[in-house]
Amino acid sequence: MFSPRSLLRSLYHMPDRLKHGARRREAESRISARTIGSVLMVCHGNVCRSPYAAARLSRLVAEEGRAIRVVSAGFIGPNRPSPPELIELARGRGLDLTDHRSQLLSSSLAKADLVVVMNVRQAGDANREFGVGTDRILILDEIGPGAIDTREIRDPWGQPLEVYEQVMARLDRCVKRLAELI
């Protein structure tokens, strides 16, 4: 049984679900056609999603012996560590985020071959504020395998541990696919 709120949310995100296949094919084609030597992962505060995704992608491409520069940045709050919940979850997945400190998105960082964001708003902000061409921007879950509820990869900051686990699992799936494409 749907609550009125969950029904409205489901209806609001229906276009995302219906267009996911076409968006995935377009994004995969666009990425596969480019030579990618550098990737910038971006999320709001650069303490949860983007540092985790950057660490995961760095690990995957290094395991394949490829030299791709991967960094992360955010729109707010420089020099902050990742939360302890994320550090522990990442450690359990073989990634070390203990030394991570957030950094602000800048014009020089935005020159990466591929700028990966977590939602539509961040894509627009990267385009408007830093001149990142839409051909170089990827909303990460556009290449995510399987069906989606929404294009946004939820920010787990301040949420219960199970939300962190869900987000990290989603990031793992999406980043794995990204590593295959680049």
Side-chain angles (χ1 to χ4, degrees), residues 135-179:
D135 61 319
R136 291 189 301 121
I137 297 174
L138 170 69
I139 300 170
L140 184 57
D141 204 31
E142 286 186 344
I143 58 167
I148 64 164
D149 181 42
T150 174
R151 291 166 76 190
E152 179 174 8
I153 296 182
R154 181 180 180 185
D155 189 350
W157 176 261
Q159 300 295 313
L161 186 59
E162 54 270 8
V163 174
Y164 278 90
E165 291 169 343
Q166 292 166 0
V167 169
M168 298 311 108
R170 190 170 180 187
L171 287 169
D172 284 341
R173 291 189 302 272
C174 295
V175 171
K176 181 178 183 227
R177 182 65 183 136
L178 178 59

Side-chain angles (χ1 to χ4, degrees), residues 45 78 106 112:
S106 66

Side-chain angles (χ1 to χ4, degrees), residues 3 10 17 25-26 41 48 68-69 71-72 81 92-93 104 106-107 149 157 161 163 179:
S3 71
S10 179
R17 290 190 300 277
R25 288 186 295 279
E26 186 277 328
M41 296 287 188
C48 293
I68 296 176
R69 181 175 180 260
V71 296
S72 68
R93 289 172 155 86
L104 290 175
S106 66
S107 295
D149 181 42
W157 176 261
L161 186 59
V163 174

